[in-house]
C-alpha cells in the first residue's frame, strides 16, 4: 500500500505533542530532528504520520517510508527507521527486505550479516522475498562466498534471485560461475541474458558477448535498451560495422533510439568502427534530445577521424546552444586540435577550460597539450611545460615527447626524455628503439647501434607485434 501525499497532508489540526506521549513517538520525532536538513519531502510526510498517530493503527506507513528511504540517495535513514520499526507493528518481512536493500545501497556487509542473523531468529530465512534481498545484499557488497551459501540453501528460488546472482557475479568479473548459473536457470528472461552479456563485455570477452547476444535473438528473447547498451562496447571492439548497422536498425524498429543513452552509444559506436557519417546521422536525428554526452561523443568522433575543423565548429555550436562543456569535452576538442595542427586554438581551449570554466586539468589534458606542441615541432616549449606541471607526470607523457623527438630528429631532448622514463619505470625496449631511430636519422650510426645494444644489456622488455583480425559470424 502506498500512501499519497495529499491524503497525508489533510488540513486538520494534529494533536499537540505532550510530554507524556508514547516513547516511540518521541524517539521518532528526535530522529526527524537529526535528519531535518535532508530529504525534505519524505521528512514532511514522516512528520505528518507521527503527528497524526497513524503508526499505531497500521504497519503500512512503516513499510511505505522504509521503501522510500531504502531506494533513496540516503539509505542509512532506512536503517535508522528500521531500528524503531522492529519494536512496533512493522517487524515483518517487508521491513527486513527494505533494510537489506539499504545495506546493499550503502555497501555495508557487516550490517547485512547482522540482519541475516535477525532474519534467522524471526524465522524468515526461507521467505523468498527476504532471502532474495539477503542474497542481493551479499552480492552487491562483494561477499560472494556468503552469497553463494545463502543462494544454495534457498529451497525455492524465483527469477529475481537467479538474476541477482547472475548479474552480480558477472558484474564482479566472475563470468564463469555466472555462466554456470545462467545455464542452470530454469526460465531465463531478458534480465538474465543482459546481465551475462554485460559481464562478458566488462571482462573484455567481446566475442563471447556477441555470440550470447546472437543466441538470445535466435531464441526469441527481445533485447531491451539496457541489453543494447551492454552489447555496443563489444561490437565496436570487434570492429563489426555490419552488426553495428543491424543493431541500429533494430533500435529504430523498437523505438529505442528515443532513449538518449542508446543514441549516444550509437554515435560512439559508429565513430569507433569507422563510420563517422552514421555518427553524424544519429546525432542530427536526436535534435532536442541531445545532452552533453551527445555533443562530447560526436566531437570525439570527429577528432578520432582527423576532422579537426568540424570538431572545433561543433564545439562552438554546442556552447551557443547553452551546453556547458566538461573536462572530457575539452579533452576531445583539444585532441582534435592536436591532430589537425590547430595549436593556437588548442591552447586557447585549454586556457578557457582553466580560467573561464574553472576546470582543473589532469594529466590527460597536459598529455594532449604536449602531443599538440610536439607534433608542431615546438619541442622545447613542450618540455618546459612538462617540467612545470603541477601534477605528477606519468611515463606516457614523456613517451609522447620522445615520439615527437623522433619525428623531428631532436637528440638532446630525446635523451632527457629517456632518462625521465628510466626513472619512472623499468625501461622498455621500444624506448631505446625510438632513440636509436633518432640517432640514425641524423647520421649518428655508432650511437644508434649502442642504443640497440642497451636493449639486450639491460634485459629490457620487448613486446612482440601482433596482428588481430576480428570477425563476427
Amino acid at each position: 500500500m502506498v500512501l499519497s501525499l495529499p491524503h497525508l497532508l489533510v488540513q486538520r489540526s494534529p494533536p499537540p505533542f505532550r510530554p507524556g506521549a508514547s516513547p516511540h513517538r518521541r524517539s521518532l520525532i528526535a530522529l526527524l530532528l537529526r535528519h531535518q536538513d535532508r530529504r525534505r519531502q519524505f521528512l514532511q510526510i514522516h512528520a505528518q504520520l507521527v503527528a497524526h498517530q497513524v503508526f499505531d493503527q497500521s504497519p503500512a506507513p512503516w513499510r511505505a517510508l522504509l521503501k522510500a528511504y531504502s531506494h533513496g540517495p540516503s539509505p542509512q535513514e532506512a536503517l535508522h527507521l528500521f531500528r524503531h520499526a522492529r519494536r512496533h507493528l512493522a517487524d515483518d518481512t517487508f521491513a527486513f527486505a527494505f533494510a537489506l536493500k539499504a545495506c546493499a545501497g550503502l555497501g555495508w556487509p557487516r550490517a547485512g550479516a547482522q540482519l541475516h542473523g535477525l532474519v534467522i531468529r524471526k524465522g524468515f530465512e526461507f521467505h523468498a522475498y527476504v532471502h532474495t534481498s539477503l542474497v542481493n545484499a551479499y552480492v552487491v557488497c562483494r561477499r560472494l562466498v556468503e552469497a553463494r551459501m545463502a543462494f544454495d540453501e534457498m529451497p525455492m528460488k524465483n527469477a529475481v534471485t537467479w538474476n541477482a546472482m547472475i548479474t552480480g557475479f558477472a558484474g564482479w568479473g566472475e563470468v564463469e560461475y555466472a555462466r554456470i548459473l545462467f545455464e542452470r536457470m530454469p526460465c531465463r528472461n531478458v534480465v538474465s541474458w543482459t546481465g551475462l552479456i554485460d559481464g562478458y563485455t566488462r571482462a573484455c570477452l567481446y566475442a563471447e558477448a556477441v555470440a550470447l547476444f546472437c543466441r538470445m535473438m535466435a531464441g526469441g528473447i527481445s533485447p531491451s535498451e539496457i541489453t543494447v547498451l551492454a552489447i555496443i562496447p563489444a561490437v565496436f571492439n570487434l570492429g563489426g560495422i555490419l552488426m553495428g548497422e543491424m543493431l541500429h536498425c533494430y533500435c529504430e524498429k523498437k523505438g529505442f533510439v528515443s532513449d538518449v543513452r542508446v543514441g549516444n552509444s550509437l554515435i560512439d559506436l559508429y565513430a569507433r568502427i569507422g563510420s563517422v557519417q552514421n555518427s553524424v546521422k544519429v546525432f542530427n536525428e536526436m535534435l532536442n534530445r541531445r545532452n552533453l554526452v551527445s555533443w562530447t561523443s560526436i566531437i570525439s568522433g570527429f577528432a578520432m577521424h582527423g576532422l579537426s575543423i568540424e570538431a572545433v565548429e561543433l564545439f562552438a555550436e554546442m556552447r551557443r546552444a547553452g551546453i556547458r562543456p566538461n573536462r572530457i569535452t575539452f579533452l576531445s576538442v583539444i585532441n582534435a586540435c592536436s591532430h589537425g595542427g590547430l595549436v593556437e586554438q588548442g591552447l586557447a581551449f585549454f586556457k578557457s577550460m582553466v580560467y573561464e570554466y574553472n576546470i582543473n586539468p589532469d594529466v590527460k589534458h597536459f598529455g594532449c597539450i604536449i602531443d599538440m606542441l610536439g607534433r608542431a615541432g615546438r619541442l622545447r616549449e613542450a618540455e618546459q611545460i612538462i617540467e612545470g606541471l603541477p601534477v605528477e607526470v606519468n611515463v606516457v607523457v614523456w613517451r609522447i615527447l620522445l615520439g615527437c623527438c623522433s619525428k623531428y630528429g631532436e637528440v638532446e631532448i630525446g635523451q632527457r626524455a629517456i632518462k625521465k622514463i628510466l626513472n619512472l619505470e623499468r625501461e622498455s625496449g621500444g624506448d631505446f628503439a625510438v632513440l636509436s631511430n633518432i640517432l640514425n636519422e641524423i647520421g649518428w650510426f655508432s650511437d644508434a647501434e649502442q642504443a640497440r645494444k642497451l636493449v639486450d644489456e639491460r634485459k629490457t622488455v620487448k613486446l612482440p607485434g601482433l596482428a588481430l583480425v576480428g570477425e563476427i559470424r
Side-chain angles (χ1 to χ4, degrees), residues 220-383:
I221 305 295
S222 298
S224 66
E225 295 95 326
I226 306 302
T227 318
V228 171
L229 294 174
I231 196 59
I232 280 179
V235 174
F236 68 62
N237 274 286
L238 291 175
I241 188 167
L242 178 60
M243 186 168 186
E245 291 175 344
M246 291 172 61
L247 192 62
H248 186 187
C249 290
Y250 178 83
C251 292
E252 288 183 334
K253 179 181 177 182
K254 292 292 185 178
F256 292 167
V257 289
S258 61
D259 188 322
V260 68
R261 299 170 301 171
V262 173
N264 293 340
S265 296
L266 288 171
I267 292 172
D268 191 46
L269 167 64
Y270 278 127
R272 289 174 181 267
I273 60 180
S275 182
V276 71
Q277 297 87 353
N278 280 328
S279 288
V280 174
K281 180 184 176 183
V282 175
F283 179 78
N284 289 336
E285 289 173 350
M286 292 180 71
L287 296 176
N288 296 329
R289 292 181 288 107
R290 300 169 186 162
N291 58 14
L292 176 60
V293 178
S294 315
W295 289 93
T296 302
S297 296
I298 193 65
I299 291 170
S300 176
F302 280 144
M304 203 181 301
H305 290 271
L307 301 172
S308 305
I309 295 175
E310 291 84 350
V312 170
E313 290 174 350
L314 203 61
F315 184 82
E317 183 182 343
M318 181 194 73
R319 293 212 279 190
R320 287 193 297 270
I323 305 295
R324 182 183 175 87
N326 63 8
R327 61 177 62 250
I328 301 174
T329 318
F330 274 109
L331 182 64
S332 298
V333 75
I334 294 171
N335 185 45
C337 293
S338 174
H339 288 285
L342 307 176
V343 179
E344 297 306 324
Q345 284 179 278
L347 293 173
F349 284 132
F350 184 80
K351 292 176 182 177
S352 173
M353 179 183 73
V354 175
Y355 298 110
E356 183 180 353
Y357 289 92
N358 297 317
I359 298 174
N360 292 325
D362 57 30
V363 69
K364 292 182 180 178
H365 296 92
F366 288 118
C368 204
I369 292 293
I370 300 305
D371 182 58
M372 182 173 63
L373 292 171
R375 286 171 181 265
R378 295 162 63 168
L379 300 173
R380 294 194 181 277
E381 186 177 350
E383 185 183 27

Side-chain angles (χ1 to χ4, degrees), residues 139 228 274 358 385 433 454:
V139 170
V228 171
N358 297 317
I385 289 176
L454 286 174

Side-chain angles (χ1 to χ4, degrees), residues 84-157:
H84 296 280
R86 285 188 57 238
R87 302 171 189 168
H88 307 294
L89 300 178
D91 190 2
D92 59 10
T93 56
F94 289 97
F96 279 97
F98 295 140
L100 286 164
K101 170 70 175 176
C103 291
L106 291 165
W108 289 359
R110 290 184 63 185
Q114 290 174 343
L115 282 170
H116 190 176
L118 288 174
V119 165
I120 295 173
R121 284 178 57 190
K122 297 296 295 183
F124 297 152
E125 65 268 30
F126 297 132
H127 187 281
Y129 190 40
V130 175
H131 213 123
T132 297
S133 299
L134 176 65
V135 168
N136 182 67
Y138 278 135
V139 170
V140 171
C141 296
R142 205 173 186 175
R143 293 299 179 92
L144 303 184
V145 173
E146 291 89 337
R148 289 181 65 168
M149 292 174 63
F151 177 78
D152 290 339
E153 70 184 16
M154 289 184 70
M156 297 293 293
K157 305 174 180 68

Side-chain angles (χ1 to χ4, degrees), residues 60-93:
W62 291 102
R63 295 172 182 169
L65 281 170
L66 277 169
K67 181 178 181 180
Y69 282 135
S70 65
H71 286 78
S74 301
Q76 64 269 26
E77 294 173 3
L79 295 181
H80 291 315
L81 187 62
F82 176 77
R83 282 200 290 265
H84 296 280
R86 285 188 57 238
R87 302 171 189 168
H88 307 294
L89 300 178
D91 190 2
D92 59 10
T93 56

